[in-house]
Amino acid sequence: MINQIKYFQSVVRLKNFTKAADENFISQSAISQQIQALERELGAKLLNREGRKFSLTKAGEFFYRKSLILINDFDRICAETAKIAHNKLKISVGSLRHYSDQDLKKSIVEFNQKFPEISTEILIGTHEELYNFLRHGKVDLIVSDLRRNPSEKYVNFFLAEKFFYAELPAQNNLTQLKKITFADLKNTPLILISPQNEQAAEEIFYREYFDVKSEIIFAEDLESAHLMVLSNLGYFLTDFKKFPKKTDLFNYIPIFFEDKQISRKYFAFWLKDNSEKIFTDFAEILKQHFK
């Protein structure tokens, strides 16, 4: 009956028997017969058929809504059963607190589709928190930019190079510039995301590495940083693979140093001693989405 219910859900969702049949790799006549068999099993008419069109009966509406919950629970039970059978395989991934792109989210979705028997766990942190997570075995793999010399203890798997932009309110006069430098922004506070115990180290890094002269202020999280920008408290430092589009709220200016746009390179890191192929599989998926 499970397959019959899934066929029924496809027909209702796509509002078309032919499209539902194609989606499930069976013929239109076969999917129609399966739904009729489902109706006989239930002893209830689910669809009002009107030539090539159909509508849900009241019983059909009820069954469709409840069946979505049923199949969701069934699929989760199957996935959990597979995990138990494979010794509860899991991969834990650390991601930067300030990272705003969709690359990691898309990678997790694709990974879960390709490896449904393996669950993924995400931990968020700063650079130092992520490396501590990795060193102490709290995560299997982290996604971060390279702030220190690569260690021979880890696999340093290159993902992508991304370029720095100053995020400002869309109507800010500075957004008329085609590019900008940290020196140009010396009178505008730089907004960074960091917990209080790491703020001093973050400030030293940006002042020494990027020669930032402006005041540096801190946000607790990404949403707070965006709200601070909109409140004209400063500019937020963000990065993208290509020039981001202006929105109703924000505009972005490339940040340059010595006639070159500043960038940072992202890597996936995991212990070399942990040689399971699944980490390479996850990193390869990450790389495709980070391109």
Side-chain angles (χ1 to χ4, degrees), residues 131 134-135 150-156 269-272:
Y131 281 110
L134 190 59
R135 282 196 293 268
S151 169
E152 293 184 358
K153 287 185 177 181
Y154 303 102
V155 175
N156 301 283
F269 303 96
W270 66 91
L271 284 169
K272 280 186 177 177

Side-chain angles (χ1 to χ4, degrees), residues 49-115:
R49 295 167 178 80
E50 304 158 2
R52 293 187 177 182
K53 296 181 179 180
F54 68 87
S55 61
L56 284 167
T57 64
K58 286 187 177 181
E61 290 177 359
F62 172 82
F63 185 77
Y64 179 65
R65 185 172 64 253
K66 293 295 185 180
S67 73
L68 293 174
I69 300 169
L70 172 67
I71 295 302
N72 179 69
D73 290 344
F74 176 78
D75 288 343
R76 290 183 66 85
I77 290 170
C78 290
E80 288 299 319
T81 301
K83 289 173 189 175
I84 292 171
H86 291 83
N87 297 318
K88 293 187 177 180
L89 293 177
K90 180 180 76 171
I91 179 171
S92 54
V93 179
S95 175
L96 285 169
R97 190 184 301 274
H98 67 255
Y99 192 71
S100 60
D101 215 330
Q102 299 296 308
D103 305 331
L104 179 59
K105 295 175 183 177
K106 292 177 180 178
S107 299
I108 291 169
V109 170
E110 183 177 339
F111 181 81
N112 288 339
Q113 290 172 343
K114 288 187 175 181
F115 303 97

Side-chain angles (χ1 to χ4, degrees), residues 14-206:
L14 297 172
K15 300 178 182 179
N16 187 285
F17 275 87
T18 301
K19 290 180 180 179
D22 290 341
E23 181 178 73
N24 290 279
F25 305 103
I26 61 174
S27 67
Q28 183 178 338
S29 60
I31 202 168
S32 180
Q33 291 168 9
Q34 289 295 313
I35 291 175
Q36 289 172 9
L38 176 62
E39 290 176 318
R40 288 194 298 271
E41 183 76 19
L42 294 171
K45 188 177 182 181
L46 302 176
L47 301 175
N48 287 318
R49 295 167 178 80
E50 304 158 2
R52 293 187 177 182
K53 296 181 179 180
F54 68 87
S55 61
L56 284 167
T57 64
K58 286 187 177 181
E61 290 177 359
F62 172 82
F63 185 77
Y64 179 65
R65 185 172 64 253
K66 293 295 185 180
S67 73
L68 293 174
I69 300 169
L70 172 67
I71 295 302
N72 179 69
D73 290 344
F74 176 78
D75 288 343
R76 290 183 66 85
I77 290 170
C78 290
E80 288 299 319
T81 301
K83 289 173 189 175
I84 292 171
H86 291 83
N87 297 318
K88 293 187 177 180
L89 293 177
K90 180 180 76 171
I91 179 171
S92 54
V93 179
S95 175
L96 285 169
R97 190 184 301 274
H98 67 255
Y99 192 71
S100 60
D101 215 330
Q102 299 296 308
D103 305 331
L104 179 59
K105 295 175 183 177
K106 292 177 180 178
S107 299
I108 291 169
V109 170
E110 183 177 339
F111 181 81
N112 288 339
Q113 290 172 343
K114 288 187 175 181
F115 303 97
E117 74 280 6
I118 303 175
S119 62
T120 51
E121 178 187 34
I122 307 300
L123 276 74
I124 306 298
T126 62
H127 291 86
E128 288 306 312
E129 286 173 335
L130 292 184
Y131 281 110
N132 284 329
F133 289 163
L134 190 59
R135 282 196 293 268
H136 297 113
K138 290 185 178 181
V139 294
D140 299 310
L141 177 150
I142 64 172
V143 179
S144 182
D145 58 285
L146 194 63
R147 280 200 172 183
R148 62 189 74 193
N149 292 328
S151 169
E152 293 184 358
K153 287 185 177 181
Y154 303 102
V155 175
N156 301 283
F157 189 98
F158 176 70
L159 297 174
E161 181 177 17
K162 296 194 176 187
F163 297 90
F164 277 123
Y165 295 83
E167 178 185 273
L168 288 160
Q171 305 308 318
N172 188 294
N173 288 333
L174 288 174
T175 59
Q176 297 178 51
L177 299 172
K178 291 185 177 180
K179 61 182 182 179
I180 205 164
T181 66
F182 285 116
D184 296 328
L185 292 162
K186 65 181 182 297
N187 295 315
T188 304
L190 167 62
I191 299 168
L192 298 175
I193 298 172
S194 178
Q196 190 169 2
N197 64 327
E198 291 190 23
Q199 289 178 4
E202 280 291 284
E203 181 163 349
I204 290 171
F205 174 79
Y206 278 91

